[in-house]
Amino acid sequence: MILSSKLVVSIVCLLFARWTAGAAVPNDAAVSDDSSISAKSTINVDVCVIGGGAAGTYAAIKSKDLGKTVVVVEQQGRLGGHTKTYIDPVSKKPIELGVAEWEDTPVVRSWFERFDIPLYQYNFTIPGVTSKYADYTTGKPATPKAGDLNGAWDAFQKQVSKYPSLDDDLSRVPYPVPADLLLPFSEFIIKYRLQDAVPYLSLYGQGWGNFVTLPTLLAIKYFPPSFFSPTQLFSGGPGALAAKDNSLIYEKATKELGSGVFLNSTVLSMDRSATHLVKILVKTPLGKRLIRAKKLISAIPPVIDNLKGFDLNSTEIPIFSKFKGHSWYVGLVQNSDIPDNITLINYGTNNDQNFDIPVLPGFYDLFATVVPGLHYFLYGGNDNQTTFTQPQVKKALKDTIARLSAAGTLPKNAGKNLELIDFTSHSPYEVYVSSDEIAKGFYNKLFALQGQRNTYWTGAAFVTHSSAAIWNFTDQLVTKMWAAAPGSATLPTA
């Protein structure tokens, strides 16, 4: 018997929905059978937020400020997502191993004022530290090509200004999509002679895989007119803000949300079939908890692997299955023998076809820090969604430092006693879809899911990888969500 393509898709979607509804976790009851969950283990709230990164934490606090009861489910042992701060135990100085700065926007300032945390002008440089370049594939010193960075940046922003709607979320993608936005970013760069801007763009394109292969739409979305210019960033001028400890805002949010935060917890299964009720079965360090909420906010990267436990339906599966992500890792090392006054930037001298950006998988940079003896690294995968373990990245680091040492770029025998004292995976990062999917109306389909099945979606996939943009989008989303549901309807009985 030959099945039609539509029937095959329907069968696959049905099987996948059953799998994500609980069967993926052996011996765990599906949420529809919650009779084994005691009253003490059942939590009734207005909203359950899945994910405690930038979007999830903001959504939880915003809902709380609107008088709603909230629960946050976070798989890590802390809130903060891509923001992570290492505090040196000796000097007590903070080292940012994730989000380093924010754009100077009203929502950023009001968010930090909400927690009484002062902000300062961010300066990318550290006094006394010099940036040097090397090709990490050969270990040899490298000299960047001379160019007009500021002129190329201005030319890039001139092109960006043609699409003012993209300064908002991705629901504003124009349709039909302009041909330029569907080009691989490398072709767009060549078309408008923007090569001299690539070194600056690549500084922020880290974690995107081979970012010049992405659709131009996503690159432009990341660098809107409000984005700080090279002059602003490197001079410490207006445009970039930071706190003394960027994780402090998440620590304060955790304290304020109190028992409503479930850390080291995962979704086992979910039931969103009722009209005004979502049931989420969660595995926590203290055992299973059944959360009964009027609304659900998902604030995690919406790749299929992250949505195990969600009761995805035949509309949601074909959308979320289109997302792909990149792998990105940050680590902190000591005893590397890298001089304290050097930040070593990877320059791909043999990667001409990609504008000399680093060859991946590999390290983007080895950054000096404010603490002598400590450097941090950024390691990225290529476009094949390959993931890496801590031992694999550590070996790659030792091998890279050995090449740099053998070529005379670093001291002889550098890295022999290297210690990895912190390691964080930021994967999946910069989730994206192909130009073909964008042209076929992907983002219209994605945003049409908002509010369906009492569920709302937020995060970088709906805006871009910018905390400022994510907070602004989430603020509007949560405000509209509760405005559309005036009052506080009683939860249906089980």
Side-chain angles (χ1 to χ4, degrees), residues 62 189 199 225-226 237 241 257 364 389 428:
K62 178 71 176 181
I189 289 168
S226 60
L241 298 173
L257 293 169
Y364 293 102
T389 64

Side-chain angles (χ1 to χ4, degrees), residues 7 41 86 110 168 196 294 297 313 333-334 400 410 440:
L7 180 57
S41 297
Y86 175 85
S110 63
D168 206 337
D196 289 349
K294 298 168 190 170
I297 297 176
N313 64 17
V333 297
Q334 64 183 7
T400 298
L410 290 179
K440 291 189 293 187

Side-chain angles (χ1 to χ4, degrees), residues 170 182-185 207-219 221 301-304 318-327 381-386 428-438 442-443 446 460-465:
L170 286 163
L182 299 174
L183 290 174
F185 192 38
W208 300 14
N210 186 2
F211 84 101
V212 297
T213 66
L214 289 175
T216 292
L217 166 70
L218 301 179
K221 187 68 191 74
V303 295
I304 284 293
I319 295 173
F320 294 127
S321 64
K322 297 297 191 303
F323 274 121
K324 299 178 181 180
H326 298 104
S327 56
N382 53 23
D383 294 329
N384 298 319
Q385 297 183 267
T386 305
Y429 193 77
E430 184 57 33
V431 298
Y432 68 101
V433 295
S434 68
S435 291
D436 183 54
E437 290 299 329
I438 294 171
F442 175 83
Y443 286 107
L446 178 68
F462 296 81
V463 198
T464 189
H465 259 292

Side-chain angles (χ1 to χ4, degrees), residues 438-454:
I438 294 171
K440 291 189 293 187
F442 175 83
Y443 286 107
N444 282 345
K445 299 171 188 175
L446 178 68
F447 278 83
L449 297 177
Q450 296 287 18
Q452 299 298 315
R453 307 177 75 200
N454 301 307

Side-chain angles (χ1 to χ4, degrees), residues 60-185:
I61 293 294
K62 178 71 176 181
S63 294
K64 180 178 180 296
D65 287 348
L66 292 173
K68 308 302 178 180
T69 53
V70 184
V71 162
V72 179
V73 179
E74 167 56 46
Q75 68 172 350
Q76 300 297 325
R78 60 180 180 85
L79 299 186
H82 296 305
T83 300
K84 182 179 181 182
T85 309
Y86 175 85
I87 304 297
D88 178 58
V90 178
S91 67
K92 305 303 180 185
K93 292 181 179 179
I95 300 173
E96 300 300 338
L97 300 177
V99 176
E101 83 284 331
W102 297 278
E103 296 166 63
D104 189 350
T105 66
V107 71
V108 170
R109 288 190 175 274
S110 63
W111 182 225
F112 280 84
E113 288 171 1
R114 162 71 174 71
F115 291 95
D116 195 28
I117 299 174
L119 290 169
Y120 306 88
Q121 291 297 324
Y122 176 75
N123 193 328
F124 186 77
T125 61
I126 298 175
V129 174
T130 302
S131 293
K132 295 188 176 182
Y133 295 82
D135 187 331
Y136 284 19
T137 61
T138 65
K140 297 178 181 180
T143 302
K145 296 173 183 175
D148 180 9
L149 171 57
N150 289 322
W153 175 258
D154 291 343
F156 176 63
Q157 285 298 316
K158 181 178 180 181
Q159 295 303 320
V160 172
S161 67
K162 295 179 180 179
Y163 311 102
S165 67
L166 295 184
D167 208 16
D168 206 337
D169 60 74
L170 286 163
S171 70
R172 302 287 302 281
V173 173
Y175 285 99
V177 183
D180 274 356
L181 298 182
L182 299 174
L183 290 174
F185 192 38

Side-chain angles (χ1 to χ4, degrees), residues 235-246:
S235 67
L241 298 173
K244 292 297 185 182
D245 174 348
N246 286 350

Side-chain angles (χ1 to χ4, degrees), residues 152-466:
W153 175 258
D154 291 343
F156 176 63
Q157 285 298 316
K158 181 178 180 181
Q159 295 303 320
V160 172
S161 67
K162 295 179 180 179
Y163 311 102
S165 67
L166 295 184
D167 208 16
D168 206 337
D169 60 74
L170 286 163
S171 70
R172 302 287 302 281
V173 173
Y175 285 99
V177 183
D180 274 356
L181 298 182
L182 299 174
L183 290 174
F185 192 38
S186 58
E187 294 182 21
F188 183 85
I189 289 168
I190 293 170
K191 180 176 181 178
Y192 292 104
R193 301 179 181 180
L194 307 173
Q195 290 90 332
D196 289 349
V198 172
Y200 183 66
L201 297 172
S202 66
L203 178 67
Y204 282 92
Q206 297 181 356
W208 300 14
N210 186 2
F211 84 101
V212 297
T213 66
L214 289 175
T216 292
L217 166 70
L218 301 179
I220 280 184
K221 187 68 191 74
Y222 191 77
F223 298 102
S226 60
F227 197 87
F228 26 83
S229 70
T231 301
Q232 287 175 313
L233 182 65
F234 293 115
S235 67
L241 298 173
K244 292 297 185 182
D245 174 348
N246 286 350
S247 293
L248 184 58
I249 194 165
Y250 295 102
E251 293 169 9
K252 288 195 171 188
T254 302
K255 184 176 181 180
E256 183 169 326
L257 293 169
S259 61
V261 177
F262 289 94
L263 301 176
N264 299 305
S265 301
T266 55
V267 174
L268 295 176
S269 56
M270 187 180 294
D271 182 357
R272 294 177 290 154
S273 60
T275 304
H276 298 294
L277 172 67
V278 177
K279 295 194 288 186
I280 310 102
L281 186 62
V282 177
K283 180 180 180 181
T284 80
L286 299 177
K288 294 179 186 177
R289 295 292 184 270
L290 175 64
I291 301 169
R292 303 174 75 250
K294 298 168 190 170
K295 296 186 183 297
L296 177 77
I297 297 176
S298 177
I300 58 178
V303 295
I304 284 293
D305 282 350
N306 274 3
L307 299 175
K308 293 176 180 177
F310 280 63
D311 58 334
L312 300 180
N313 64 17
S314 59
T315 299
E316 295 165 331
I317 292 171
I319 295 173
F320 294 127
S321 64
K322 297 297 191 303
F323 274 121
K324 299 178 181 180
H326 298 104
S327 56
W328 188 39
Y329 309 86
V330 181
L332 188 66
V333 297
Q334 64 183 7
N335 299 328
S336 65
D337 302 310
I338 303 173
D340 290 332
N341 63 343
I342 290 178
T343 282
L344 196 60
I345 299 172
N346 189 0
Y347 188 82
T349 54
N350 296 318
N351 199 17
D352 290 343
Q353 72 274 22
N354 287 319
F355 314 103
D356 302 320
I357 63 176
V359 175
L360 301 175
F363 296 90
Y364 293 102
D365 317 275
L366 295 168
F367 278 103
T369 72
V370 294
V371 179
L374 299 183
H375 278 73
Y376 73 90
F377 64 76
L378 306 175
Y379 185 87
N382 53 23
D383 294 329
N384 298 319
Q385 297 183 267
T386 305
T387 56
F388 300 88
T389 64
Q390 178 175 325
Q392 287 174 323
V393 176
K394 183 177 180 180
K395 182 181 183 302
L397 180 60
K398 284 192 168 186
D399 292 344
T400 298
I401 291 178
R403 287 193 296 272
L404 293 165
S405 177
T409 303
L410 290 179
K412 186 177 180 180
N413 296 320
K416 294 290 185 181
N417 300 309
L418 177 147
E419 295 179 61
L420 186 59
I421 61 175
D422 196 281
F423 181 81
T424 301
S425 172
H426 292 272
S427 311
Y429 193 77
E430 184 57 33
V431 298
Y432 68 101
V433 295
S434 68
S435 291
D436 183 54
E437 290 299 329
I438 294 171
K440 291 189 293 187
F442 175 83
Y443 286 107
N444 282 345
K445 299 171 188 175
L446 178 68
F447 278 83
L449 297 177
Q450 296 287 18
Q452 299 298 315
R453 307 177 75 200
N454 301 307
T455 305
Y456 296 79
W457 307 84
T458 183
F462 296 81
V463 198
T464 189
H465 259 292
S466 160

